[in-house]
Amino acid sequence: MPDKSPAPAAGSAGTPDTADADHLKVLGYDEGFKRSMSLWANFALGFTYLSPLVGIYSIFALGLATGGPPSVFWLFIVGAGQLLVALVFGEIVSQYPIAGGIYPWARRLWGKRYAWMAAWVYIWALIVTIVAVAEFGSGFFASLFGFEYTPLIGLILTTVLLLAALAINFSGTKNLARVATIGLSAELAGVVLLGLYLLIFQRRNDFSVFFNSMGTESAHGGNYAAAFLGAALIGLFLFYGFEACGDVAEEVKDPSRRIPRAMIMTILVGGVSALFSFCGYVLAAPNLKDIVAGKDTDPIPGILDASLGPIGAKVFLVIAVVAFLSCTLSLQAAASRLLYSFGRDGMIPGHKWLAHVSPRTAVPTRALIVASVIPFLIALGVYFNASLLVQVTSFAVFGIYWSFQSVVLAALRQRIKGWKPAGPFSLGAWGWVVNIVALAYGLFAMFLLARPGESGDVGVDWIVLIGFGVVFVVGLLYLLIARPTSKSDAAEGDAIAVAEKQRAKA
């Protein structure tokens, strides 16, 4: 199989260790990036993508209005489930430390057509998520500088966030890592320290409130189980982003060992941070009953103002803007590496153009441009039609979970065929149990995300499946008609063969 990835100039700074280069060579590629990302920076990238500050802020009011304070237990349930998925991913990336994550993993575990559909859905989910995060961030940006938020101001500030993230990504992996690390520090200050402060010094409600539904079951005929299931979004919207650690695998030193650790750290630290944040807001809320009743749909600013005062609230806004920028940056980086990986294997129109790596900064600049321009065009559409944002983002989380489970299913299929992961990170005999339970959890999570609402409006109640269906059908039709996979000769379905080859070299 011919190598399609450009190699850096001989003697260039940041030339990777021989072991990493040899491992990549076994997988069919030459080095095209600089391995300048450490374990800590890789963890920071995943953490800022997961972004507990962004996630909790976005779903706090909805979670409380749906399931009341007990909805906090979804953080434990989903965190445990996603940790199992991360362990499966860890075994895969340890054997296949290749840029692009979901796409190359699915391809090497199953096949190119299977991988094409998984990646098609995933790339659109990523692009739409970039839009959503930048749009949310523009609101904090406006508040920080005292702008009255209008559709035009929202578009301008969204564009500023997209361009700022693009400029940092363009400058190279080292700066990406630096800003991600700054974002990590801001996130930890904004969720852990603030959460602890609210829990210790600003508590207005008793801890027993986490076992009080506060009447949310009334919307479901007195059945709290239904209300609790509806509140699953409090966790499902939060615990992803750890896979971004694998998207930049070819930019990490000793990726087979470090990336699995970074993924696990992302889940554990992100989960604890989200727990402190959620609990702190609940216990410090001066109007908790109004939030649960749905009367206050944006309660966090009021909680912060009541607890921190105007100056403290302003400091939090600074932290929030840094967090949203870091999250946008990480999403953009992940999307660009997926596009690059797609292009390197000749699986997408314009693949030669997309597979270009800048000889100066060693980043896929053209893929980065695409990962910024398309979100801008969607943001422009939102400017003209605000409801478009809900419509296009409705499938995003479901699409990400679907793509995750495509990989988990492919891994289980290979285990059945006799695959024993050959990377230094291995679950051993527990791999079977973890893989099966991770798949069962993922299917349950997808069911919760896809469940239709109860408003009686078909367009609203079925929006998740409608959005996903449109993206999936368009991708499937393109796959069948244009046959992009026929133009690629990159390896596929070789997990067992590669594992045996790696063991023979060990």
Side-chain angles (χ1 to χ4, degrees), residues 290-343:
D290 288 344
I291 300 170
V292 174
K295 297 178 181 178
D296 186 351
T297 58
D298 188 21
I300 291 180
I303 295 172
L304 294 175
D305 192 58
S307 303
L308 304 178
I311 295 176
K314 189 68 97 175
V315 171
F316 176 82
L317 282 176
V318 174
I319 293 173
V321 168
V322 172
F324 273 93
L325 174 60
S326 300
C327 187
T328 305
L329 178 77
S330 300
L331 283 161
Q332 204 178 75
S336 67
R337 272 56 171 187
L338 174 56
L339 286 167
Y340 162 81
S341 183
F342 233 25

Side-chain angles (χ1 to χ4, degrees), residues 21-32:
D22 288 346
H23 191 172
L24 194 59
K25 190 72 174 179
V26 168
L27 301 177
Y29 300 105
D30 287 333
E31 294 284 0

